[in-house]
Amino acid sequence: MSRSPRQTVIAGNWKMYKTSATAKSYVDKLVPLVADAKPLVYLSVAFPLIPFLSQAAQGTNIVIGAQNMHDAEEGAFTGEVSSAMLNDAGAEFVILGHSERRHVFGETSLFVNQKVHRAIKEGLQPMVCIGETQQQREQGLTEKIVKEQLLESLDGITANQLETVIIAYEPVWAIGTGLTATPEQAQISHAFCRDVIRSAWGFEAADVLPILYGGSVKPDNVRHIMEQEDVDGVLVGGASLEADSFAQIVNYQTLKG
Ligand code: 13P
């Protein structure tokens, strides 16, 4: 089966790690290591690091983004950050609905959906995360949960707008646990997500939508995951914190094994 022209995206999610000094030495090291990479290289970082990193990434192939935002244009929301602020700081994309936002901070798909609309309005590329918990998988609810999260998080988004969206399927049980979905499990869920998108938004939209896998991706398992037909990239937490291991993941095609 020929591969559709979906872009391959290798994204790092630094979560709540690094300050400007450690971010600087990381980027200095990463830039030459990934300069010739074929995939798009995304780094999602804490708010205070965005202005510095977006400057440092200028003229490189590294795209800097945020990990969250509020859905309102502006307002009395102490501690929150708006899409305009992210734009102003130099972010080009934003992770929305990460499982840590959903499960630790109680964010619903409805809230995520409002953020997706806001991000698109602002010209920020949304990277929408979905995924089932261990218990939901054991209860045979994976498809139900993934479908609900997809349809609710993307409600009201047009097929045209969907062209700017990236989906990240991150099974909650695989995040930070060292348990990775097998390549086959990832493929089954990714193909299912694409089917859901196809039914709701049509063939073309589903064909070009990049669906990334996230959950304990490391240099030694990335190749087999990336070989799957419906896996268009990875979203990497822990292994993105070191420039060397993240660069190996970005350059996965050159890895052995
Ligand atoms: P780990 O790669 O540390 O499992 O984290 C995955 C993740 O949550 C990326 O967003």
Side-chain angles (χ1 to χ4, degrees):
M1 208 174 164
S2 70
R3 231 181 140 85
S4 58
R6 293 192 285 274
Q7 284 183 308
T8 303
V9 180
I10 307 292
N13 175 9
W14 281 0
K15 307 192 178 182
M16 200 175 72
Y17 290 98
K18 299 196 187 294
T19 57
S20 52
T22 47
K24 182 173 183 336
S25 53
Y26 180 108
V27 178
D28 288 348
K29 199 166 177 186
L30 184 69
V31 167
L33 293 177
V34 301
D36 298 324
K38 287 199 187 78
L40 298 175
V41 183
Y42 279 34
L43 261 188
S44 180
V45 303
F47 297 133
L49 299 174
I50 294 172
F52 159 71
L53 283 172
S54 59
Q55 285 287 325
Q58 265 182 25
T60 77
N61 56 339
I62 300 168
V63 181
I64 300 298
Q67 301 170 0
N68 184 32
M69 57 173 235
H70 197 272
D71 70 310
E73 190 174 359
E74 59 183 2
F77 299 106
T78 301
E80 290 293 329
V81 168
S82 73
S83 55
M85 293 168 187
L86 293 186
N87 229 342
D88 187 43
E92 293 184 50
F93 74 100
V94 57
I95 293 179
L96 298 174
H98 189 277
S99 87
E100 285 143 21
R101 300 301 316 171
R102 292 179 187 267
H103 296 285
V104 183
F105 299 98
E107 290 192 8
T108 62
S109 288
L110 175 64
F111 193 24
V112 174
N113 178 245
Q114 288 163 345
K115 297 181 190 211
V116 175
H117 281 276
R118 175 65 62 192
I120 291 174
K121 214 178 215 173
E122 188 66 42
L124 284 168
Q125 181 174 35
M127 184 182 288
V128 180
C129 299
I130 54 164
E132 80 288 358
T133 63
Q134 173 94 53
Q135 200 187 24
Q136 288 163 338
R137 176 164 279 261
E138 283 164 4
Q139 291 172 343
L141 297 173
T142 299
E143 294 195 345
K144 178 178 182 293
I145 295 296
V146 161
K147 183 175 181 179
E148 271 171 18
Q149 288 181 344
L150 266 179
L151 294 179
E152 288 171 18
S153 302
L154 298 175
D155 188 36
I157 300 298
T158 66
N160 263 354
Q161 289 174 327
L162 200 64
E163 283 179 19
T164 68
V165 174
I166 294 177
I167 299 295
Y169 168 67
E170 300 203 295
V172 179
W173 49 272
I175 295 178
T177 57
L179 292 173
T180 322
T182 63
E184 293 73 26
Q185 283 173 324
Q187 169 57 23
I188 289 169
S189 290
H190 281 230
F192 177 75
C193 290
R194 206 174 302 284
D195 276 348
V196 171
I197 298 291
R198 195 173 288 132
S199 305
W201 283 274
F203 275 85
E204 241 174 90
D207 258 8
V208 297
L209 180 73
I211 306 178
L212 317 188
Y213 168 80
S216 298
V217 175
K218 309 271 182 266
D220 61 7
N221 60 22
V222 63
R223 265 194 61 177
H224 292 304
I225 294 170
M226 287 301 298
E227 276 165 12
Q228 304 305 308
E229 175 70 22
D230 286 289
V231 175
D232 307 309
V234 287
L235 178 54
V236 188
S240 74
L241 291 172
E242 295 295 331
D244 280 327
S245 59
F246 186 54
Q248 283 181 45
I249 293 172
V250 170
N251 296 315
Y252 69 93
Q253 281 157 318
T254 63
L255 288 172
K256 299 212 164 53

